[in-house]
Amino acid sequence: MGVLHRLQVPLVALLSYTAIAQKVIDLGTKQWTLSSPVYNISVPGRVPSQVHLDLFREGVIPDPYVGLGDFELRWVTLTNWTYETTLDGLDSTIPTWLLFNGLDTFTSIEVCGQHVASTNNQFRQYYFEISDILKSCSTTPDLSINFGSAVNITADIASEPGQEVWPPGQVFWPGGVEGVFEFPNRQFMRKEQSDFGWDWGPAFAPAGVWQPAYVVQLPGPAVHVRNTLLDIYRQGQLNNLPPDQNAPWIVNASIDVIGSLPSNAKLFIEIMDIKNVTVASGAMQNMTSIGSTITGSVVVDGETCQLWWPVGLGPQNLYYFKITVMNGNESLVSITKRSGFRTIVLNMTPISESQLAQGIAPGNNWHFEINGQEFYAKGSNFIPPDAFWPRVTETKMNQLFQSVVDGNQNMLRVWASGAYTPDFIYDIADEMGVLLWSEFEFGDALYPVGVEFLENVRQEAEYNVRRVNHHPSLALWAGGNELENLELRLAAALDPGNDRWRQEYEQLFLGVLLPTVFANSKSISYIPSSTTNGYLELNFSLAIPMIQRYDNATKGSIYGDTDHYDYNSLNAFDLSTYPVGRFANEFGFHSMPSLQSWQQVLSPEDLHFNSTTIVLRNHHYPAGGPLTDNFHSPLHGMGEMTLAAQRYYPVPNMADPVANFSAWCQTTQIFQADFYRSQITYYRRGSGKKERQLGSLYWQLEDIWQAPTWAGIEYDGRWKFLHYVAKDIYQPVIIASYLNTTDGDLTAYVTSDLWSPATGVATLTWYDYNGTILAPPSSVPFTVGALNITQVLQTNTKTIPYDLTKAVLKMNITATGSLPNTNDTKTFKHEFFFHALDLSKANLQDPGLQLEYNASTGNFTIEATKAVAAWVWMDIPAGTLANFDGNAFWLVPGEKREVGVVVKSDGSGGKWVEGVRVRSLWDNTQS
Ligand SMILES: *[C@@H]1O[C@H](CO)[C@@H](O)[C@H](O)[C@H]1NC(C)=O
Ligand SMILES: *[C@@H]1O[C@H](CO)[C@@H](O)[C@H](O)[C@H]1NC(C)=O
Ligand SMILES: *[C@@H]1O[C@H](CO)[C@@H](O)[C@H](O)[C@H]1NC(C)=O
Ligand SMILES: *[C@@H]1O[C@H](CO)[C@@H](O)[C@H](O)[C@H]1NC(C)=O
Ligand SMILES: *[C@@H]1O[C@H](CO)[C@@H](O)[C@H](O)[C@H]1NC(C)=O
Ligand SMILES: *[C@@H]1O[C@H](CO)[C@@H](O)[C@H](O)[C@H]1NC(C)=O
């Protein structure tokens, strides 16, 4: 009884639809003025927008991203700005509200000269009744929103007596570098933390109405839906624990309204497939109505609906859920959300006896399960795609997510110190099957724990947890970035024996955020910190159900996920320096963007490696710590990239200074890609080792601006070497070599993340760099198990009969297997080159590269006609956004490689094809 089955009588037929009219005015359609009395500026403004964007559009300031705008435009953020409009055409006898989905950040709001409210949280939704003000207003009412300077206001908050002092003693970041690249005191504001600067981004600290805003007029009993929670889970499911996959689904809907709900209000639900054909409908049960929130749930038979899967693991089935609020037989309002049926759990349960018996190290699991299945999470970290969110378009995000999917990634970690992701981005992720590990906006600091601050955070968390919970792409909630592994350890080192810091951390991350997730969602797991050793105990009968393990570890046991940075490039390919954990959620090294990106923001005289503007756009602190306030130290980011390039590759030596600069940018990208590949293959191989490693998310997917950063995709969407290499190494079945740099032990493994075994042959061929095959290739047949590895080579560089400066080993595999949730047999191919670590000593010679374009297929063909080509790169001219299906590869002579291309936007009318150039490492050393 009460279970919704397929094809009940559609609900629509039973309802009388007399939805009561509400009047909603989008404030984005109004004329706005943006002004600063101090600077005597008054220009047209927009909603949603931000001050910098409006000033730029109106010609008051240059493009903030050009040159040193990051420093030169600081005056904009150190002053107050007012956005003003006229609220004409309102009937002042009707109850009226202002509704803001996002104000950035410190505001004072007035209507008709009367104070309405002040706000201080970028991430909250605010709504204020203004009926009385409208009634008493004798003129056409004005709405004015005054934005204070976040930099000044946080400085004031920081100096309040008794305010939180972090880090203890303020010894870690005393002005120094932070004073140049970042504004201090970000932990005192609920605003995008990276707005004050980050090591990969600028510090613009923008202000404005950054999300849509409305006037809502509600005659009679009308209500306006301001937020909707939809939680779909298996009956009996508890957060963080794998549910029974045979249990029916529960669909819980909870609607937040403006206006008053009638006491007998009820909810009805209609579930439709993607073609809007009703698959189930009925009255919701277990209704509760508390304040302006009404909640109900229904049981849905598992047969009724098809599962949603991440890309590569099955189809992305989506359904519409129409929820109607009924007053008796009258429909008050209805809302439709698109969602899907799936369970996603971060399984952190203790390693079981049967897992131990399979050779898995003791400790805890730390991996994701989709619909009850373990899978390998492949992806990267997503940061704010722009310092100014209002100019992040759907087109740009569609292109970016297409690159994610084309790059064989199935998960992104949405990093914790940007902004909660807008729904349109989750919608794209739902459609494309990209899981979004989502985080609350706290990172690399400890935060105040005053009553007001915590209540402000609770409201922010509640709004956002409810807003996004229906997206099947939502994979996890994490409290914040690098807290347990970094900030708590820092606290323990700086203030030994003082328990205060951990207690305060628990107050916020276990006492406020965890209960907000658990009270609103049973379908999503929660962890307090992105990198964590997990829980000692999860017990839902405790007031706070999670007791953290922290560093209470038993030797030999493995508990959590890992975060790894090592800027000493000497260690880059020493596998023993990589962490052994269950999941790698962050790792990386920075590189230069391409010449084409630099040309967007630099004047021609700045197009050299260490130009002042480039050095000042590199915000990676000197490795000596932020106190080493010396940007010309070889330990600064520019020096680290230079050293790494010199250490492992022949460095560019081209006569044309701009071409040489471009080649240098590329060499830093080659090191970056090489280093990430080494780590990704190592982590993926861990799926078959004792650590049962099941995830690799590198730092970072994309750029916020044009600068030297850890990104694999540049600000305008252009792929660096890294994104191509990650695409290659994130294929389901790969081969890779593993060198022990200490004793010369050399192995190769095939790694597969398919859910069934694959069989094939590995072919290993030694080549002289001149292209001669040195010995008959050896063939090794293999079977690799589901989510497992198999070894195909065991040797030692000391016993290899070749001099590695003269010889290179090409390994390739062809395997057959099936993708998850399909029965079709598919062929998987992959190749990998083992070579001397230091390619500047290898006998690279002119590969005689030839490039052809075939207009009828739209494909390019590349051939090395003379010798082995290392790091072949096809470069796309500025003005065209396109990516090849492969790039940044090696070629042996006699092999032709045909490469397809996806054009995302083209300003050249197709002429770009003629501007494509192909080069290899060797070509960059020729003047
Ligand atoms: C903010 O502080 C700066 C100095 O730090 C000052 O010049 C500026 O006038 C202040 N702005 C406001 C709005 O108080
Ligand atoms: C600046 O804006 C803040 C927030 O709206 C307000 O509290 C403050 O009074 C304003 N200061 C000036 C000088 O307008
Ligand atoms: C189904 O309905 C939704 C709105 O509820 C609409 O956006 C969508 O275009 C419709 N799809 C089809 C296939 O008609
Ligand atoms: C309603 O509540 C009862 C008692 O808690 C529970 O057994 C039942 O499953 C609930 N029904 C739905 C549809 O959630
Ligand atoms: C450390 O962990 C063990 C269980 O693994 C637990 O019994 C013990 O109480 C913990 N110690 C502390 C100080 O939390
Ligand atoms: C850039 O400057 C750093 C710091 O002075 C230096 O170590 C490095 O060698 C320079 N790089 C190049 C390519 O000139």
Side-chain angles (χ1 to χ4, degrees):
M1 275 306 291
V3 178
L4 294 190
H5 295 284
R6 180 171 273 280
L7 293 181
Q8 285 194 336
V9 183
L11 174 78
V12 244
L14 307 175
L15 295 178
S16 74
Y17 264 89
T18 49
I20 292 149
Q22 42 166 316
K23 187 173 169 195
V24 179
I25 301 160
D26 180 351
L27 285 171
T29 63
K30 296 270 175 195
Q31 308 262 317
W32 289 83
T33 305
L34 166 66
S35 61
S36 153
V38 176
Y39 289 100
N40 199 18
I41 293 170
S42 177
V43 293
R46 282 193 189 161
V47 165
S49 187
Q50 281 164 328
V51 171
H52 289 80
L53 296 177
D54 289 343
L55 294 179
F56 173 42
R57 190 190 58 247
E58 297 303 323
V60 178
I61 59 169
D63 180 345
Y65 272 16
V66 166
L68 294 176
D70 178 25
F71 303 106
E72 285 158 2
L73 295 175
R74 293 210 164 170
W75 63 271
V76 176
T77 202
L78 295 178
T79 196
N80 276 27
W81 293 93
T82 302
Y83 277 91
E84 255 178 305
T85 192
T86 308
L87 300 178
D88 47 1
L90 295 182
D91 179 346
S92 64
T93 65
I94 299 175
T96 304
W97 304 73
L98 291 175
L99 172 63
F100 298 101
N101 283 349
L103 292 166
D104 181 12
T105 289
F106 295 97
T107 75
S108 161
I109 304 167
E110 287 183 2
V111 171
C112 196
Q114 295 184 51
H115 182 72
V116 174
S118 295
T119 70
N120 63 358
N121 191 327
Q122 177 183 5
F123 309 123
R124 274 172 67 181
Q125 182 187 49
Y126 288 103
Y127 51 104
F128 308 108
E129 187 168 6
I130 54 167
S131 315
D132 291 346
I133 297 180
L134 289 185
K135 266 187 219 136
S136 66
C137 190
S138 57
T139 57
T140 306
D142 270 356
L143 164 63
S144 119
I145 310 172
N146 183 287
F147 288 87
S149 159
V151 175
N152 291 32
I153 293 172
T154 49
D156 291 347
I157 298 172
S159 59
E160 281 165 10
Q163 192 47 273
E164 184 82 4
V165 180
W166 177 257
Q170 294 275 22
V171 293
F172 198 60
W173 307 101
V177 165
E178 191 178 49
V180 178
F181 292 136
E182 295 178 17
F183 297 116
N185 304 314
R186 62 178 167 79
Q187 67 270 41
F188 299 108
M189 64 180 183
R190 295 313 302 141
K191 169 171 172 56
E192 178 160 303
Q193 300 284 281
S194 62
D195 280 354
F196 274 25
W198 213 268
D199 50 7
W200 36 255
F204 287 110
V209 183
W210 75 296
Q211 291 288 334
Y214 306 93
V215 174
V216 177
Q217 293 212 289
L218 298 172
V223 293
H224 175 76
V225 176
R226 62 173 184 86
N227 201 14
T228 305
L229 167 78
L230 207 59
D231 194 30
I232 303 175
Y233 53 93
R234 296 284 188 181
Q235 197 166 51
Q237 185 171 348
L238 291 170
N239 305 79
N240 293 56
L241 291 176
D244 174 1
Q245 295 295 328
N246 296 315
W249 296 99
I250 305 284
V251 177
N252 183 54
S254 181
I255 294 188
D256 300 316
V257 302
I258 299 178
S260 0
L261 287 163
S263 57
N264 60 344
K266 297 259 181 308
L267 293 180
F268 282 82
I269 186 169
E270 186 181 358
I271 304 173
M272 293 156 280
D273 68 15
I274 207 69
K275 298 195 178 94
N276 289 339
V277 175
T278 302
V279 295
S281 64
M284 302 197 85
Q285 299 154 23
N286 294 359
M287 299 294 312
T288 61
S289 186
I290 298 167
S292 55
T293 296
I294 179 167
T295 305
S297 52
V298 285
V299 181
V300 178
D301 178 23
E303 302 296 304
T304 307
C305 35
Q306 308 219 290
L307 297 173
W308 181 95
W309 298 93
V311 62
L313 303 179
Q316 288 76 56
N317 294 306
L318 294 168
Y319 292 85
Y320 292 107
F321 296 73
K322 180 172 184 179
I323 316 289
T324 304
V325 184
M326 301 294 298
N327 181 15
N329 261 348
E330 220 172 43
S331 154
L332 266 183
V333 72
S334 64
I335 183 103
T336 301
K337 293 275 163 186
R338 197 184 60 185
S339 185
F341 294 90
R342 60 90 182 88
T343 68
I344 179 85
V345 173
L346 173 55
N347 184 340
M348 303 161 85
T349 57
I351 294 295
S352 66
E353 289 298 327
S354 74
Q355 286 180 302
L356 288 172
Q358 290 161 32
I360 297 177
N364 281 65
N365 286 287
W366 207 107
H367 65 258
F368 290 90
E369 291 176 9
I370 181 80
N371 299 323
Q373 303 270 352
E374 283 182 343
F375 67 100
Y376 199 91
K378 299 184 285 198
S380 53
N381 285 261
F382 175 87
I383 60 159
D386 202 295
F388 306 104
W389 275 99
R391 70 176 179 187
V392 176
T393 61
E394 215 168 306
T395 305
K396 181 168 174 162
M397 289 301 95
N398 258 310
Q399 289 170 348
L400 183 66
F401 274 73
Q402 195 57 58
S403 292
V404 171
V405 169
D406 290 346
N408 293 319
Q409 306 194 9
N410 58 28
M411 184 183 282
L412 298 177
R413 171 176 166 244
V414 182
W415 172 76
S417 300
Y420 297 92
T421 312
D423 280 281
F424 79 88
I425 296 183
Y426 279 104
D427 282 334
I428 294 171
D430 293 345
E431 287 163 17
M432 296 197 188
V434 178
L435 289 164
L436 298 180
W437 158 340
S438 301
E439 304 195 335
F440 295 99
E441 309 305 336
F442 299 88
D444 293 325
L446 292 182
Y447 287 80
V449 289
V451 176
E452 252 176 76
F453 187 89
L454 292 183
E455 175 56 17
N456 201 359
V457 167
R458 193 192 62 75
Q459 299 239 21
E460 143 194 348
E462 184 167 86
Y463 170 60
N464 286 291
V465 166
R466 292 171 70 81
R467 178 177 65 82
V468 307
N469 196 70
H470 63 281
H471 294 286
S473 57
L474 177 66
L476 173 72
W477 276 111
N481 173 59
E482 296 181 323
L483 301 171
E484 178 182 319
N485 59 316
L486 206 149
E487 296 302 317
L488 288 181
R489 287 185 185 152
L490 188 63
L494 295 175
D495 196 6
N498 189 348
D499 205 30
R500 169 183 167 187
W501 309 108
R502 188 185 279 187
Q503 278 174 18
E504 291 189 356
Y505 166 83
E506 294 197 345
Q507 243 180 304
L508 175 52
F509 297 99
L510 293 176
V512 174
L513 294 179
L514 177 145
T516 307
V517 175
F518 284 13
N520 287 289
S521 176
K522 294 201 189 317
S523 55
I524 297 297
S525 307
Y526 174 80
I527 50 172
S529 166
S530 57
T531 312
T532 174
N533 270 340
Y535 55 76
L536 260 182
E537 196 182 339
L538 182 69
N539 179 346
F540 288 87
S541 63
L542 299 176
I544 292 179
M546 220 180 245
I547 298 170
Q548 292 300 99
R549 174 181 303 279
Y550 302 116
D551 291 326
N552 180 2
T554 304
K555 207 170 178 312
S557 290
I558 300 173
Y559 302 100
D561 59 338
T562 61
D563 171 303
H564 178 65
Y565 295 97
D566 187 341
Y567 294 106
N568 181 355
S569 52
L570 204 54
N571 299 331
F573 303 102
D574 178 352
L575 309 186
S576 73
T577 63
Y578 301 166
V580 177
R582 306 281 186 200
F583 194 107
N585 63 302
E586 270 197 42
F587 53 94
F589 197 96
H590 53 307
S591 71
M592 292 280 264
S594 64
L595 171 68
Q596 292 89 327
S597 280
W598 278 129
Q599 282 170 328
Q600 295 165 8
V601 293
L602 297 190
S603 50
E605 66 272 17
D606 277 331
L607 292 174
H608 56 97
F609 197 83
N610 274 326
S611 70
T612 307
T613 310
I614 289 181
V615 168
L616 286 172
R617 287 175 82 109
N618 184 331
H619 295 182
H620 175 46
Y621 307 124
L627 295 179
T628 333
D629 189 1
N630 178 1
F631 308 116
H632 299 288
S633 145
L635 295 177
H636 175 259
M638 299 308 293
E640 285 172 355
M641 287 188 291
T642 308
L643 271 178
Q646 290 165 340
R647 191 163 267 148
Y648 298 108
Y649 313 95
V651 294
N653 179 31
M654 298 167 77
D656 176 62
V658 174
N660 201 53
F661 170 63
S662 173
W664 257 102
C665 292
Q666 290 175 5
T667 308
T668 68
Q669 291 187 22
I670 290 173
F671 170 72
Q672 180 194 33
D674 223 355
F675 186 17
Y676 285 50
R677 172 165 55 198
S678 178
Q679 284 191 71
I680 292 170
T681 53
Y682 175 85
Y683 298 133
R684 282 195 64 180
R685 186 183 63 162
S687 65
K689 297 263 182 193
K690 67 179 189 327
E691 62 267 30
R692 185 61 172 164
Q693 210 278 5
L694 289 176
S696 139
L697 309 179
Y698 62 81
W699 188 269
Q700 73 203 56
L701 173 69
E702 84 315 356
D703 261 330
I704 194 172
W705 70 331
Q706 305 89 341
T709 73
W710 294 249
I713 297 180
E714 298 175 26
Y715 175 64
D716 68 355
R718 180 177 288 268
W719 291 17
K720 285 183 176 177
F721 281 66
L722 167 59
H723 200 74
Y724 284 108
V725 164
K727 173 188 162 116
D728 174 70
I729 214 67
Y730 278 151
Q731 292 181 81
V733 188
I734 56 161
I735 182 167
S737 63
Y738 301 84
L739 172 68
N740 182 327
T741 48
T742 313
D743 63 14
D745 184 57
L746 175 66
T747 55
Y749 287 82
V750 174
T751 299
S752 166
D753 69 347
L754 299 174
W755 291 354
S756 53
T759 53
V761 177
T763 308
L764 313 179
T765 317
W766 280 99
Y767 284 84
D768 185 294
Y769 274 100
N770 70 14
T772 313
I773 293 180
L774 294 172
S778 61
S779 289
V780 186
F782 64 84
T783 297
V784 60
L787 269 174
N788 213 334
I789 61 174
T790 188
Q791 190 174 340
V792 289
L793 173 69
Q794 169 70 69
T795 183
N796 194 291
T797 48
K798 287 176 206 140
T799 59
I800 289 172
Y802 310 113
D803 173 357
L804 278 181
T805 63
K806 299 209 173 64
V808 57
L809 175 62
K810 180 183 172 188
M811 297 175 257
N812 62 284
I813 52 167
T814 302
T816 52
S818 296
L819 287 172
N821 280 311
T822 66
N823 293 320
D824 309 341
T825 306
K826 199 174 140 54
T827 302
F828 298 91
K829 286 176 185 281
H830 186 243
E831 66 181 41
F832 194 96
F833 284 81
F834 169 74
H835 57 77
L837 272 185
D838 181 354
L839 285 173
S840 72
K841 300 208 175 64
N843 184 27
L844 289 172
Q845 40 206 290
D846 181 4
L849 284 178
Q850 286 183 0
L851 177 73
E852 270 172 42
Y853 176 67
N854 181 334
S856 62
T857 59
N859 291 348
F860 290 82
T861 306
I862 306 104
E863 188 179 358
T865 58
K866 295 182 180 158
V868 172
W871 292 102
V872 174
W873 181 253
M874 286 173 288
D875 207 36
I876 297 174
T880 300
L881 183 62
N883 50 267
F884 299 106
D885 45 46
N887 205 354
F889 44 77
W890 288 50
L891 278 177
V892 293
E895 195 185 24
K896 276 193 181 176
R897 179 132 171 193
E898 191 173 345
V899 174
V901 60
V902 178
V903 180
K904 290 173 172 156
S905 75
D906 178 25
S908 78
K911 288 252 183 305
W912 68 276
V913 167
E914 297 154 28
V916 174
R917 294 285 174 271
V918 66
R919 306 186 69 84
S920 69
L921 259 190
W922 179 86
D923 299 278
N924 285 347
T925 61
Q926 303 307 300
S927 45

